[in-house]
Amino acid sequence: MFIVIVGGGKVGYYLIKSLIPHNHKIVVFDPVAEICHKIANELNIPVINGDGTDIDKLTKIGLSDADIFIAVTGKDEDNLIACQLAKKNFGVKRTIARVNNPKNITVFERLGVDIAVSSTSIITDLIEQEVDDSGIKTIMKLKKGKIVLTEIDVRSTHAICDKLLKDIQLPRDCILISIIRDDEIIIPNGYTMIKSGDCIIAATSKEKQQELKEYFLKSRKL
């Protein structure tokens, strides 16, 4: 693939190093001359001394033929502008932006960035999963986080334990994909009984995930 990367700092440098072994065509932009020389000498790839929004330079490298445009500078506004320029002016199909402030993720996505990545947000999610001892955690987000895959460990104290799926009213927009019981993977149907120790994989909309958690965490009535 033809990949254009804006930003040759630490994030950009190690991103480039990880991509080179896969034989991609890579061109890098950075406004700092010393960084450009370092990348060009150490990684032996084309490096343009510029800010990644110079239309003439982007045209010369053939950005319209790029498969992916990645902006990983330390400034959110620069990453956003660069991605918008690549998509709107050059028709790049896939844009990825580093987001330093996680509050900007939604803004980036609404303004056309295909993937907005925040290391702060990722770490926060991991911490929340580690401290959550309820037995429910997020294992994957799809479609820009609109769909969430959730892992649920069923306990004997949960109200859903020992019930058939047909007798359980799941929240709207929630689907049970599979049940892992010991070493067996079960594709559930209405007559599948949920047992203590089961690991349930469920898919929900982002808005309904909390409702799903609350539903599964209900305790048995004594």
Side-chain angles (χ1 to χ4, degrees):
M1 289 191 295
F2 179 16
I3 302 173
V4 176
I5 299 174
V6 175
K10 288 184 178 179
V11 174
Y13 179 83
Y14 288 106
L15 174 61
I16 297 163
K17 285 192 71 173
S18 67
L19 290 173
I20 286 176
H22 299 283
N23 298 317
H24 297 299
K25 176 185 176 182
I26 302 172
V27 177
V28 181
F29 279 78
D30 197 279
V32 181
E34 296 83 46
I35 291 178
C36 292
H37 291 312
K38 177 183 177 182
I39 294 174
N41 292 332
E42 294 183 11
L43 304 180
N44 193 30
I45 61 171
V47 184
I48 310 299
N49 186 198
D51 63 6
T53 58
D54 187 317
I55 293 180
D56 289 337
K57 290 181 178 179
L58 292 171
T59 301
K60 287 181 180 180
I61 66 164
L63 182 58
S64 58
D65 295 324
D67 298 292
I68 301 176
F69 183 90
I70 306 173
V72 289
T73 75
K75 295 182 178 180
D76 285 0
E77 57 270 29
D78 291 348
N79 294 337
L80 176 59
I81 292 171
C83 284
Q84 287 185 311
L85 185 64
K87 185 171 282 289
K88 294 180 180 179
N89 288 50
F90 293 89
V92 178
K93 293 181 180 180
R94 200 72 169 166
T95 56
I96 301 173
R98 172 189 178 188
V99 182
N100 300 281
N101 183 347
K103 292 182 179 179
N104 290 334
I105 292 177
T106 302
V107 175
F108 273 52
E109 292 175 344
R110 286 178 178 174
L111 293 178
V113 177
D114 295 299
I115 301 176
V117 181
S118 166
S119 57
T120 302
S121 181
I122 292 171
I123 293 171
T124 300
D125 287 344
L126 290 173
I127 291 174
E128 288 180 351
Q129 289 181 27
E130 289 298 322
V131 300
D132 185 1
D133 62 352
S134 65
I136 297 180
K137 63 181 179 181
T138 299
I139 56 176
M140 186 178 292
K141 295 181 180 180
L142 306 170
K143 296 295 182 181
K144 299 181 181 180
K146 294 179 181 179
I147 299 174
V148 183
L149 294 186
T150 304
E151 180 182 295
I152 305 158
D153 292 327
V154 180
R155 301 174 181 176
S156 59
T157 55
H158 291 164
I160 62 166
C161 190
D162 298 328
K163 286 188 176 181
L164 297 176
L165 281 184
K166 69 182 185 66
D167 298 326
I168 296 173
Q169 292 185 346
L170 291 173
R172 187 177 179 182
D173 297 331
C174 298
I175 300 173
L176 298 193
I177 298 175
S178 65
I179 297 175
I180 302 173
R181 182 174 297 159
D182 297 325
D183 294 327
E184 182 183 5
I185 297 178
I186 301 170
I187 305 302
N189 58 51
Y191 291 92
T192 301
M193 178 174 286
I194 296 177
K195 298 182 179 180
S196 177
D198 284 351
C199 176
I200 295 175
I201 307 299
T204 74
S205 62
K206 180 181 178 181
E207 295 76 14
K208 291 294 182 177
Q209 188 188 32
Q210 186 58 39
E211 188 175 337
L212 178 74
K213 288 182 177 181
E214 293 173 356
Y215 182 83
F216 273 85
L217 286 175
K218 287 181 181 179
S219 297
R220 289 175 182 268
K221 292 182 180 180
L222 300 177

